[in-house]
Structure formats: structure tokens, C-alpha cells
Amino acid sequence: MGRTQLAQMYFPFIQPKSAWEKLRALLLEDPALEHLAKLKRRTFLPLEVNIIYQHLGQP
């Protein structure tokens, strides 16, 4: 899943770039998710999405 696509699921009423920035800030605050915010690729693997869901809840 694309990182912006996931971010927009959590923050549907703001612009895509802003949604990603807010999601990235949430990921950076959680030590278990911090590494996901620093990935170079623009997509999350299904396992990574499930980890995010476990920590942040379903969007």
C-alpha cells in the first residue's frame, strides 16, 4: 500500500502531502514504528501495514 494512500485513510480531509507528514510524525513518535517512517520506498508491505494498524488502530 502506498504511504500516501495509507495516510489519507487516517486523515481523509487534508491534502495528501499533509496527511503523509502527519502520519510520519505519528510513526516517529512511536519507537516500534520509527523505522517505518525512515524507509526510502514509498510503499508499505502488508506486514508493515498490519504493524501500523496494531499500534495506531484501524483508520
Side-chain angles (χ1 to χ4, degrees):
M1 175 179 295
R3 64 185 190 187
T4 304
Q5 179 185 4
L6 180 62
Q8 286 197 285
M9 290 171 64
Y10 280 99
F11 306 103
F13 301 110
I14 61 176
Q15 294 295 316
K17 184 177 183 205
S18 298
W20 165 241
E21 289 171 359
K22 287 186 82 141
L23 180 60
R24 185 174 185 274
L26 287 176
L27 296 176
L28 288 171
E29 288 177 8
D30 189 330
L33 301 175
E34 184 177 14
H35 70 283
L36 296 174
K38 297 178 180 178
L39 293 174
K40 297 290 183 192
R41 55 187 155 86
R42 293 179 174 257
T43 59
F44 291 120
L45 300 174
L47 178 63
E48 295 166 339
V49 173
N50 286 331
I51 291 170
I52 292 170
Y53 287 169
Q54 288 173 1
H55 287 265
L56 301 180
Q58 292 280 347

